[in-house]
């Protein structure tokens, strides 16, 4: 079976640049759909599945910033690059605030763009593979399934975890018997390592300790000022 080529949504109203870039990317084994305005690009995105979006900003009918907002509403995680002649600091900041993975100023080196596309698609593939591989954990007498958000003991469900409880236990399991740095968990789950988020995480740690308390071989240890260790005695 022929391997599926990564699919790129290219929104670019400059006919010459759009066709040159489309042809270049297709020569490098990408499947590219070129749209010449934002409304057509949004329709294409809603109709098909893409691996990355390359968006011009100054387009008719719907500009790239608005298009990015609409795309993010549909898929918050898809990689997104802006390709733009707008080089003002305010425009670049706005692009990143909208969740862009990169903001590339025109004119740009097509080879450099290709390398950036390859790098971010590889990163996403590795993250997805990791998530697919690791969703079931044995924690002492408990079985933890992070997809179902269930914690079971003796084959019977004991708790259905909240999203934050689930993600925190998942990270602890990935670092089992090792240090889970406090700031790493806070930034990934809460978005920032502020004092108040830290207090919130402490509450969730206390809940997880309560859920796991029936197995004396399990302990969540607070490493003061550094983070937590999920210690499981074999």
């Amino acid at each position: 079976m022929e391997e599926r080529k990564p699919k790129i949504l290219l929104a670019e109203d400059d006919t010459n640049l759009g066709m040159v870039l489309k042809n270049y990317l297709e020569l490098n084994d990408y499947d590219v759909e070129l749209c010449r305005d934002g409304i057509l690009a949004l329709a294409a995105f809603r109709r098909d599945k893409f691996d990355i979006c390359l968006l011009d900003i100054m387009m008719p009918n719907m500009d790239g910033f608005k298009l990015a907002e609409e795309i993010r509403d549909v898929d918050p995680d898809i990689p997104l690059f802006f390709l733009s002649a707008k080089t003002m600091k305010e425009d670049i900041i706005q692009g990143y605030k909208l969740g862009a993975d990169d903001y590339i100023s025109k004119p740009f080196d097509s080879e450099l763009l290709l390398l950036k596309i390859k790098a971010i698609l590889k990163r996403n593939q590795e993250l997805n593979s990791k998530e697919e591989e690791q969703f079931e954990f044995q924690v002492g007498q408990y079985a933890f399934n992070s997809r179902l958000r269930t914690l079971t003991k003796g084959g019977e469900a004991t708790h259905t975890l909240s999203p934050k409880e689930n993600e925190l236990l998942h990270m602890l399991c990935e670092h089992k018997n090792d240090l889970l740095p406090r700031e790493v968990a806070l930034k990934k789950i809460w978005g920032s390592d502020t004092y108040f988020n830290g207090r919130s995480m402490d509450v969730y740690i206390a809940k997880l300790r309560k859920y796991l308390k029936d197995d004396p071989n399990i302990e969540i240890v607070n490493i003061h000022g550094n983070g937590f260790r999920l210690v499981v005695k074999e």
Side-chain angles (χ1 to χ4, degrees):
M1 183 182 294
E2 186 178 352
E3 186 177 351
R4 173 185 174 274
K5 295 180 181 179
K7 192 169 180 67
I8 296 175
L9 175 63
L10 174 59
E12 172 59 67
D13 70 329
D14 183 318
T15 303
N16 291 332
L17 175 60
M19 286 307 302
V20 167
L21 191 51
K22 174 180 165 68
N23 292 337
Y24 176 74
L25 292 170
E26 287 178 341
L27 285 172
N28 284 278
D29 291 325
Y30 291 94
D31 183 5
V32 182
E33 181 159 352
L34 173 61
C35 300
R36 294 192 171 87
D37 72 52
I39 290 179
L40 292 175
L42 181 59
F45 184 80
R46 286 174 169 163
R47 182 177 64 244
D48 209 342
K49 179 174 176 57
F50 293 89
D51 297 287
I52 187 169
C53 300
L54 310 180
L55 311 181
D56 183 25
I57 293 176
M58 294 183 288
M59 294 186 294
N61 299 323
M62 179 188 292
D63 68 27
F65 288 148
K66 178 60 177 175
L67 174 58
E69 289 180 0
E70 297 287 345
I71 285 173
R72 282 282 179 250
D73 283 343
V74 177
D75 185 345
D77 299 318
I78 188 167
L80 188 156
F81 289 2
F82 284 114
L83 312 177
S84 180
K86 293 169 73 85
T87 57
M88 295 289 289
K89 179 181 177 181
E90 293 78 9
D91 294 316
I92 296 172
I93 289 173
Q94 184 177 356
Y96 282 113
K97 282 184 175 180
L98 288 170
D101 293 274
D102 209 335
Y103 190 107
I104 301 172
S105 300
K106 297 178 182 178
F108 53 82
D109 186 314
S110 296
E111 187 176 356
L112 180 60
L113 173 63
L114 181 64
L115 290 172
K116 289 187 173 189
I117 290 171
K118 286 181 177 178
I120 199 161
L121 292 181
K122 181 181 178 183
R123 182 201 72 184
N124 275 24
Q125 185 179 26
E126 289 172 349
L127 286 173
N128 291 335
S129 296
K130 186 176 180 182
E131 288 176 2
E132 288 172 7
E133 289 169 3
Q134 300 181 354
F135 68 94
E136 291 183 313
F137 299 89
Q138 191 65 38
V139 188
Q141 298 174 24
Y142 294 91
F144 169 49
N145 187 313
S146 63
R147 285 186 182 171
L148 300 177
R149 291 195 277 125
T150 56
L151 194 62
T152 61
K153 184 171 180 280
E156 295 184 3
T158 57
H159 296 286
T160 299
L161 304 179
S162 71
K164 278 191 170 68
E165 291 170 348
N166 184 68
E167 196 162 2
L168 185 54
L169 183 55
H170 188 276
M171 292 187 75
L172 285 165
C173 288
E174 288 181 325
H175 292 77
K176 187 172 76 169
N177 293 323
D178 201 354
L179 176 70
L180 170 60
R182 190 177 183 87
E183 66 274 10
V184 171
L186 282 170
K187 287 179 180 177
K188 181 174 181 182
I189 302 173
W190 277 265
S192 65
D193 58 349
T194 65
Y195 172 82
F196 295 105
N197 286 340
R199 298 285 71 78
S200 175
M201 184 166 71
D202 291 338
V203 170
Y204 281 88
I205 288 288
K207 289 181 179 179
L208 293 179
R209 285 183 177 132
K210 183 177 179 181
Y211 297 158
L212 299 167
K213 66 181 176 60
D214 289 338
D215 187 339
N217 292 316
I218 300 174
E219 186 178 7
I220 301 177
V221 180
N222 182 12
I223 309 299
H224 185 68
N226 290 297
F228 299 95
R229 288 181 65 215
L230 174 63
V231 178
V232 182
K233 299 174 185 176
E234 302 297 339

